Amino acid sequence: MAATRPQRAPITSPAAATVFSTVLTQGPVSRVEVGRRTGLSSAAVTKAARPFIEAGYLEELTSEERTGPGAGRPANPLAIKADREFFLGVKITDDDLIGVVCDLRAQVRVARHHPLTSTAVPDVVAALTSLVADLITPYRDRAHCLGVAVSGDVDQTTGVVRYSPFLRWHDVPLGDLLAEATGLAVRLENDVKALTVAEQWFGEGVGVTSFALVTVGTGIGCGLVIGGRLVTGAHGVAGELGHVPVGDDQPCHCGGTGCVEAIASTSAIVARAGMPMAEAVARARSGDPAVRAVFAEAGHAIGLALAAMANLVGPERIVVSGEGVAAYDLFEEHVRKAFTAQAFGAVADCLLILRPLPFEEWARGAAAVSIQALFRH
């Protein structure tokens, strides 16, 4: 049985959602400025903000004196009360669970790891339930949502992991299993898309209408935000950059050939170099020409894929992250060279931003997905 929940954020209309999300991602900000940024009238902003203030989600800060020509009454900026509600986020890898508790602004309050000894579904559910119980204790009265980030093909609507190659899962109803085990409202999302949501609302994507987040590591992932919205596509798998074909005959786990992931993922580099990743990185940095060639080919493949994506959707910026960026110095030159050569016209000017993020940030992305659920009442 799900626990009885107290009043949630009163998002009951598009105007309410717009005002709340503006303060959440860009605040503290005055009502006048909210109106200027959203196109809403002052009366509409005031009407939308009042229930949030009454429910304890927003507060008015001390007046700011305005000076200069045209200065009027002091403004009382609206700000989020970050500790009004807390959100749990968990990133699942093939050998670890990384969990966080975030406040309403997605700031991490506590983080925990729980090693996985098995990726069998019942074992993962049991381990994740134990991790949640450990995390939630100090926040139980104000934490009702759990976001979970999983690699692969995830159906957010049904909470089903349709396919996760690294966990070797097919059609797993993980959302329902976790909701029953934890008593929390569960939001499931692909891990890269979850990280993209966190960047959109609280990172490099704030104030940007279009950007791409590309992750390099165990897989090659991509999250797209176009027109201020995360792109999922009709089947929920939009942005699968790792399976864009850029090579000839390298077999990929997806069943295709020549995929970026078959050339530039960690496992591909390890297989082609014939040694563990740490050793390959060390050998390449010491000047081993054969190993450096492996990283060069990986960088070339990534650059081609980035250019193909940028030519199609034209993002304002591309953020590159993932555990693979620890070795980015070995293929950055090749990424940029291939991207510039293949990008069409002004697309070549697209800003590439390197942003190393630990797995705790992926768990934070899962929490951000559960924060986002506030807007789907």
Side-chain angles (χ1 to χ4, degrees):
M1 288 288 290
T4 300
R5 295 184 170 90
Q7 181 183 9
R8 305 294 306 285
I11 300 175
T12 56
S13 67
T18 297
V19 169
F20 189 61
S21 63
T22 301
V23 180
L24 178 65
T25 59
Q26 302 175 41
V29 59
S30 70
R31 288 179 173 82
V32 171
E33 186 62 16
V34 171
R36 188 186 70 79
R37 297 180 189 182
T38 64
L40 294 171
S41 68
S42 296
V45 173
T46 297
K47 180 179 178 180
R50 186 178 300 116
F52 291 109
I53 295 172
E54 293 172 351
Y57 282 87
L58 295 182
E59 62 181 337
E60 291 184 294
L61 301 182
T62 304
S63 299
E64 294 179 341
E65 296 295 335
R66 294 191 291 176
T67 60
R73 295 184 304 170
N76 294 85
L78 294 170
I80 291 290
K81 293 189 71 172
D83 61 354
R84 172 58 176 82
E85 190 168 344
F86 296 95
F87 302 82
L88 282 74
V90 176
K91 155 71 172 168
I92 302 176
T93 75
D94 60 355
D95 61 1
D96 196 15
L97 298 176
I98 305 94
V100 299
V101 175
C102 291
D103 61 26
L104 194 49
R105 289 190 56 80
Q107 298 302 304
V108 176
R109 296 297 185 96
V110 63
R112 298 277 191 276
H113 284 248
H114 192 302
L116 282 178
T117 58
S118 164
T119 58
V121 173
D123 295 334
V124 173
V125 170
L128 202 151
T129 302
S130 176
L131 175 61
V132 166
D134 180 37
L135 287 167
I136 202 172
T137 300
Y139 306 95
R140 185 172 298 278
D141 292 339
R142 285 178 288 169
H144 317 291
C145 295
L146 167 66
V148 179
V150 187
S151 66
D153 179 359
V154 176
D155 187 333
Q156 190 192 70
T157 302
T158 63
V160 172
V161 180
R162 291 186 289 219
Y163 172 53
S164 180
F166 307 114
L167 296 172
R168 297 176 294 280
W169 286 358
H170 291 270
D171 298 321
V172 175
L174 188 63
D176 286 346
L177 293 173
L178 290 174
E180 182 178 357
T182 66
L184 300 174
V186 176
R187 299 290 298 188
L188 210 60
E189 182 59 283
N190 167 271
D191 55 354
V192 177
K193 288 184 173 64
L195 189 59
T196 304
V197 169
E199 286 299 294
Q200 177 189 10
W201 285 30
F202 306 105
E204 291 288 346
V206 173
V208 177
T209 59
S210 67
F211 76 98
L213 174 75
V214 176
T215 57
V216 179
T218 303
I220 309 296
C222 180
L224 293 170
V225 171
I226 305 297
R229 298 180 67 86
L230 180 68
V231 177
T232 59
H235 306 289
V237 293
E240 280 295 335
L241 192 70
H243 300 288
V244 171
V246 296
D248 295 324
D249 56 0
Q250 298 90 343
C252 183
H253 64 80
C254 72
T257 57
C259 298
V260 183
E261 213 159 274
I263 302 169
S265 66
T266 299
S267 60
I269 291 172
V270 166
R272 295 162 73 81
M275 62 190 73
M277 188 65 171
E279 184 180 347
V281 169
R283 292 275 290 274
R285 285 176 176 159
S286 69
D288 185 311
V291 182
R292 288 186 70 85
V294 172
F295 281 99
E297 187 173 0
H300 181 74
I302 293 169
L304 291 179
L306 293 182
M309 179 268 294
N311 287 342
L312 283 171
V313 301
E316 295 176 47
R317 61 183 59 173
I318 300 173
V319 181
V320 182
S321 190
E323 67 270 28
V325 300
Y328 196 65
D329 58 297
L330 296 172
F331 47 69
E332 179 177 11
E333 175 188 350
H334 308 285
V335 170
R336 293 185 181 276
K337 184 177 179 180
F339 177 81
T340 301
Q342 197 69 21
F344 178 76
V347 169
D349 297 327
C350 179
L351 183 63
L352 297 182
I353 300 171
L354 182 64
R355 184 160 160 75
L357 294 169
F359 273 134
E360 284 77 8
E361 288 296 311
W362 296 65
R364 177 177 178 252
V369 169
S370 66
I371 294 173
Q372 191 183 53
L374 286 174
F375 295 82
R376 298 180 180 178
H377 284 187

